[in-house]
């Protein structure tokens, strides 16, 4: 079975700090995509960043970057220069069996304090 | 270009009533997915539909739940004879076609409360 594990249920940081959210997964697939989604208090699911497993280069989107370790099946999200608007639940996810059937982790609640 | 539209945003039902949740995908998207989020949990896949076809319903409970995506109109997730355990946020997502990227575009969700 394909699973996604987010071991940190909650984190709190000060504005402008850097924070890393961890995610591990288990799959027998070789080529796949990995995603981090953000769910702010409005509850809408917003795609933060996507990583292609066959690419060695880590994905970066402005203040968001990933540390993808394929052999270790680890996919962590780094948020630099944290902002108050980053306060949200963050979910790691990847498609099951190469389909659009996303498997989500349980999420991590990030609070950015002023 | 409007995003995925879900309604109602909030729905309250008493035990035994029916709940209908609607989802209009993004313009040009023909694939619709329904996910359920229980409190303090991640999203769980329920069903994947294309126009007039159910492609994968492996996440749907065997009873009381059904989904459709007709040729015209929104996709509908129907829950008959609701129970308190059905209280959750139901998210719809869409994609333009089946792809291997897995990227989905989500609506804002419909929160069902069963009294």
């Amino acid at each position: 079975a394909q699973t996604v594990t987010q071991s940190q249920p909650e984190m709190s940081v000060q504005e402008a700090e850097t924070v890393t959210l961890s995610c591990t997964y288990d799959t027998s697939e070789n080529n796949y995509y990995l995603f981090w989604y953000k769910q702010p208090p409005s509850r809408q699911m917003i795609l933060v960043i996507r990583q292609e497993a066959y690419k060695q280069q880590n994905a970066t989107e402005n203040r968001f970057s990933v540390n993808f370790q394929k052999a270790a099946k680890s996919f962590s999200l780094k948020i630099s220069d944290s902002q108050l608007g980053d306060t949200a639940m963050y979910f790691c996810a990847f498609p099951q069996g190469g389909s659009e059937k996303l498997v989500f982790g349980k999420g991590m609640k990030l609070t950015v304090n002023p | 270009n409007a995003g995925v539209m879900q309604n109602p945003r909030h729905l309250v039902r008493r035990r035994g009533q029916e709940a209908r949740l609607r989802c209009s995908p993004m313009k040009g998207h023909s694939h619709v997915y329904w996910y359920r989020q229980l409190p303090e949990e991640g999203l769980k896949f329920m069903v994947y539909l294309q126009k007039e076809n159910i492609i994968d319903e492996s996440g749907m409970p065997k009873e009381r739940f059904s989904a459709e995506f007709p040729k015209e109109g929104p996709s509908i997730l129907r829950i008959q004879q609701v129970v308190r355990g059905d209280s959750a946020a139901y998210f719809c997502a869409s994609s333009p076609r089946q792809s291997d990227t897995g990227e989905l575009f989500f609506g804002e969700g419909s929160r069902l409360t069963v009294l």
Side-chain angles (χ1 to χ4, degrees), chain A residues 9 37-40 87-91 106-110, chain B residues 41:
Chain A
Y37 278 88
K38 167 185 176 181
Q39 188 178 41
T87 292
M89 288 289 292
Y90 286 83
F91 294 93
K106 286 193 172 184
M108 196 220 71
K109 183 179 180 181
L110 176 67
Chain B
E41 296 283 328

Side-chain angles (χ1 to χ4, degrees), chain A residues 33 35 43 50 100-102, chain B residues 35 56 99 101 103 111:
Chain A
Y33 290 76
F35 304 88
R43 301 203 67 82
R50 179 180 70 185
E100 285 88 354
K101 189 191 300 185
L102 289 179
Chain B
Y35 285 80
D56 183 342
S99 71
T101 68
E103 184 171 354
R111 178 166 294 281

Side-chain angles (χ1 to χ4, degrees), chain A residues 75-94:
Chain A
F75 179 57
S76 60
L77 174 69
K78 186 171 85 170
I79 305 175
S80 303
D81 186 25
S82 298
Q83 299 176 359
L84 298 179
D86 295 334
T87 292
M89 288 289 292
Y90 286 83
F91 294 93
C92 177
F94 77 103

Side-chain angles (χ1 to χ4, degrees), chain A residues 2-3 6-8 10 24 29 43 47 49-51 53-54 57 61-63 65 73-74 77 81-82 87 101 108 113:
Chain A
Q2 292 164 309
T3 59
Q6 293 180 253
S7 57
Q8 308 151 301
E10 194 166 351
T24 58
E29 300 287 324
R43 301 203 67 82
L47 179 65
I49 198 165
R50 179 180 70 185
Q51 173 74 43
Y54 62 87
Q57 185 175 10
E61 288 285 343
N62 301 314
R63 297 183 295 107
S65 61
K73 295 181 180 174
S74 169
L77 174 69
D81 186 25
S82 298
T87 292
K101 189 191 300 185
M108 196 220 71
N113 298 306

Side-chain angles (χ1 to χ4, degrees), chain B residues 1-5 23-32 93-96 104-106:
Chain B
N1 187 13
V4 177
M5 304 300 292
C23 168
S24 296
M26 284 182 71
K27 188 177 180 180
H29 287 193
S30 57
H31 297 237
V32 165
S94 71
S95 67
L104 302 180
F105 299 82
F106 283 86

Side-chain angles (χ1 to χ4, degrees), chain B residues 35-53:
Chain B
Y35 285 80
R36 177 165 63 176
Q37 185 179 30
L38 296 171
E40 311 301 323
E41 296 283 328
L43 277 68
K44 294 287 196 309
F45 170 81
M46 298 182 75
V47 62
Y48 162 36
L49 310 104
Q50 296 176 25
K51 286 282 187 181
E52 301 183 282
N53 283 307

